Amino acid sequence: MSGFIEGEDRTQATLFPERIDDYVAEDSPVRVVDVFIDDLDVSGLGFRTEPNATGRPSYHPKMMLKLYVYGYLNRVQSSRRLEREAQRNVELMWLTGRLAPDFKTIADFRKDNGEAIRLVCREFVMLCRKLGLLNNTLVAIDGSKFKAVNNRDKNFTRAKMKRRLAEVEASVDRYLTQLTEVDATETDDDQGAELERKITQLREEMARLKKFEVRMLEAPDKQLSLTDPDARSMNSRGTGMVGYNVQSAVDSQHHLIIAHEVTNVGSDRSQLAGMAKQAKEVLQQPSLDVVADRGYYNGDEIRACEQAGIDAYLPKPKTSGNKAKGLFDRSAFTYVDKDDQYECPAGERLIYRFTRTEKGKDIRRYWSSACPRCPIKAQCTTGDNRRVSRWVHADVLDRAQARLDKQPDSMRVRRATVEHPFGTIKSWMGATHFQTKTLPRVSTEMGLHVLSYNMKRAINLLGTEKIIATIRA
């Protein structure tokens, strides 16, 4: 092999064995994992730190946590793969002290310490704030759908159930018709027996679907998932997906995830205030600006943000039915605050008439008596009067729109900020996304993904040396 780089003889003995520490680079991310977790007060976070009084001693929670954080940092999420890596990966040998738990022990640790693991993710966000990596004035909020361990065929909604039952009934009718034709000709007994077998199978399938329908209708949201009972069918970019809706509040400066939450509610309408308050609590600021897309537009949520000292920037959905009909939409009517009236495109005033409650909200109603003789009435309404509704707290929405008009670039900032973390984490997860089942365990898994994302991002920005020095300070 002359002329090539040659390795050492694997059977060569050495007088002074090399230390395992010599195999781990000084700037390796595994050193950050080691120092960060060693510095944690794991008992205060909820991990069990008291050893068993009898039986075999358990592994220390810090060691198990190091194993998981290293695994997610290097895209090794499976407990079985972590078991193998602990036996052959030099960095993991260094990190765990050459301990190699079996896969069941590894999986049980994640299952039994979900809440504590999620708090570790929050602790690293606090470290990022200490390192000066967070913008304390502006965060972007968004949600993304992640696939659950539940096939679409094993999820039932009322529409799906109705369609499946109709398909089975149609197949039964078709086979019954064919069976009648076979009986009339009396030519092929085998074909008749095969048709009877298929009809029996379909009737059994119909009985099975009926049982599922009963369970589905008992659920609050009228959905049933057989593999992961908490997974729900959601709309994702125009197609259906059985999964979870992951919400995140992302720092606008370095794209670090400040707060996150996993929910099985497909809509973002009721998520804005909760995520904004979590971000504000983490940043420990008296006020905060948040940007979100129009999917979060909800008057109650925007008002809750304002009451908490949070200014929300988000556009109003464009869902005017009148505009689709070729009529003036709501934006053509200008509210005159000092008179509490609306001015229509014809220059007439719509005056306040009464207040009523709609879907739990107090709504004020306005219209003008001049509508019947208005020359442009055909462009405005097909009824006797064009009526305009206004929420009693609509001034909150007016202020939100005014803020957005002053900073029209906010939506570009939102898109450039919050899309990056989701895309990165999904690429790490692979095609299947989540590997665990039920909402609490999926939340734990997402917490580990967010922790590993933030850690890798911080290391790329500052390097391992500065982070380790800050933790030890």
Side-chain angles (χ1 to χ4, degrees):
M1 296 182 65
S2 178
F4 295 94
I5 298 174
E6 296 186 10
E8 296 180 2
D9 186 351
R10 65 188 59 163
T11 61
Q12 176 66 49
T14 57
L15 182 60
F16 298 105
E18 295 174 336
R19 298 179 307 160
I20 195 170
D21 189 68
D22 295 335
Y23 291 99
V24 179
E26 289 297 327
D27 60 348
S28 173
V30 71
R31 295 188 181 274
V32 175
V33 175
D34 184 55
V35 174
F36 169 67
I37 294 177
D38 278 342
D39 189 63
L40 290 174
D41 176 16
V42 290
S43 61
L45 294 173
F47 292 98
R48 184 185 172 194
T49 56
E50 292 295 325
N52 295 328
T54 60
R56 185 178 183 273
S58 60
Y59 292 103
H60 196 283
K62 284 190 176 181
M63 190 281 294
M64 298 297 294
L65 187 58
K66 289 176 182 179
L67 179 63
Y68 261 115
V69 174
Y70 179 86
Y72 276 76
L73 199 61
N74 291 277
R75 299 165 71 174
V76 182
Q77 298 105 26
S78 163
S79 58
R80 292 181 183 270
R81 290 179 61 199
L82 282 172
E83 178 188 22
R84 291 195 296 269
E85 289 299 310
Q87 297 168 5
R88 67 188 182 187
N89 187 307
V90 176
E91 286 188 333
L92 264 182
M93 291 179 186
W94 176 89
L95 187 62
T96 63
R98 288 191 172 178
L99 295 175
D102 64 272
F103 74 91
K104 186 68 167 60
T105 303
I106 296 172
D108 285 346
F109 177 79
R110 179 173 54 188
K111 180 186 70 174
D112 298 337
N113 296 279
E115 183 63 31
I117 290 173
R118 292 194 287 273
L119 290 175
V120 172
C121 178
R122 182 186 175 93
E123 288 295 312
F124 192 81
V125 175
M126 294 301 185
L127 175 61
C128 291
R129 188 168 66 87
K130 187 177 178 181
L131 289 164
L133 291 175
L134 302 181
N135 182 346
N136 293 328
T137 59
L138 178 64
V139 299
I141 294 175
D142 199 10
S144 185
K145 309 300 190 300
F146 285 71
K147 297 175 187 174
V149 187
N150 198 105
N151 191 282
R152 289 174 63 181
D153 292 337
K154 293 189 176 182
N155 169 267
F156 298 93
T157 63
R158 281 183 288 191
K160 283 184 185 179
M161 184 64 72
K162 183 178 179 181
R163 184 171 65 249
R164 291 278 291 276
L165 287 171
E167 290 172 353
V168 173
E169 288 175 359
S171 297
V172 170
D173 291 342
R174 185 172 68 253
Y175 287 138
L176 285 173
T177 301
Q178 293 177 11
L179 184 61
T180 302
E181 293 173 355
V182 170
D183 290 343
T185 57
E186 298 181 353
T187 56
D188 193 344
D189 293 338
D190 290 341
Q191 185 180 2
E194 177 65 17
L195 288 171
E196 288 179 353
R197 185 184 66 81
K198 289 182 178 180
I199 292 170
T200 301
Q201 287 181 341
L202 287 171
R203 284 175 173 163
E204 290 174 354
E205 173 67 9
M206 186 175 293
R208 188 178 74 97
L209 291 175
K210 289 289 186 181
K211 292 179 181 178
F212 290 156
E213 185 177 26
V214 172
R215 292 170 56 188
M216 178 195 72
L217 293 175
E218 290 174 351
D221 56 356
K222 303 297 183 285
Q223 274 202 50
L224 173 66
S225 295
L226 301 181
T227 309
D228 182 350
D230 292 339
R232 290 294 177 265
S233 179
M234 302 176 182
N235 182 32
S236 177
R237 298 186 181 276
T239 185
M241 174 194 292
V242 180
Y244 292 91
N245 183 6
V246 179
Q247 298 290 315
S248 71
V250 182
D251 163 67
S252 61
Q253 184 177 2
H254 292 118
H255 302 177
L256 293 164
I257 300 176
I258 299 172
H260 75 280
E261 186 174 348
V262 182
T263 175
N264 57 5
V265 178
S267 171
D268 295 334
R269 282 277 186 264
S270 60
Q271 307 296 333
L272 179 65
M275 290 307 304
K277 289 176 182 177
Q278 286 186 45
K280 184 171 178 283
E281 182 183 354
V282 170
L283 295 173
Q284 297 179 5
Q285 295 296 313
S287 61
L288 182 68
D289 292 346
V290 299
V291 291
D293 61 27
R294 56 172 46 93
Y296 287 85
Y297 198 91
N298 181 306
D300 290 328
E301 294 289 308
I302 297 172
R303 182 167 178 254
C305 285
E306 188 175 275
Q307 290 173 339
I310 301 168
D311 289 338
Y313 294 78
L314 68 170
K316 188 175 182 180
K318 298 178 180 178
T319 56
S320 173
N322 284 320
K323 190 173 183 179
K325 298 175 184 177
L327 304 175
F328 293 127
D329 65 0
R330 173 65 179 276
S331 62
F333 294 79
T334 305
Y335 182 67
V336 183
D337 188 32
K338 64 183 180 65
D339 298 329
D340 188 24
Q341 296 177 353
Y342 277 93
E343 186 173 313
C344 74
E348 297 290 343
R349 290 293 185 97
L350 284 68
I351 63 174
Y352 167 72
R353 302 291 180 168
F354 61 86
T355 300
R356 69 181 183 187
T357 302
E358 297 178 7
K359 298 180 180 179
K361 292 184 177 182
D362 292 332
I363 305 297
R364 296 169 65 84
R365 298 281 283 169
Y366 301 78
W367 69 82
S368 171
S369 301
C371 287
R373 48 185 191 278
C374 179
I376 57 173
K377 180 176 180 291
Q379 298 175 256
C380 190
T381 181
T382 56
D384 295 333
N385 301 89
R386 174 62 183 267
R387 304 193 176 197
V388 175
S389 300
R390 180 179 176 84
W391 183 36
V392 293
H393 300 296
D395 55 318
V396 173
L397 307 182
D398 294 339
R399 287 192 290 272
Q401 185 61 47
R403 286 194 298 269
L404 186 64
D405 292 341
K406 290 179 181 178
Q407 298 188 24
D409 203 37
S410 299
M411 292 302 100
R412 185 192 63 78
V413 173
R414 183 208 68 82
R415 186 169 56 252
T417 299
V418 81
E419 303 291 351
H420 166 242
F422 278 138
T424 302
I425 291 175
K426 283 185 176 180
S427 71
W428 291 354
M429 286 180 160
T432 55
H433 293 175
F434 290 125
Q435 297 183 350
T436 55
K437 303 170 189 174
T438 71
L439 184 58
R441 296 180 188 178
V442 166
S443 298
T444 303
E445 187 178 355
M446 192 65 203
L448 286 165
H449 278 295
V450 170
L451 173 59
S452 61
Y453 167 82
N454 283 342
M455 187 173 287
K456 184 171 288 190
R457 186 81 178 143
I459 291 170
N460 289 340
L461 290 167
L462 299 179
T464 59
E465 185 177 346
K466 183 174 180 179
I467 295 174
I468 292 173
T470 303
I471 295 172
R472 287 175 172 169

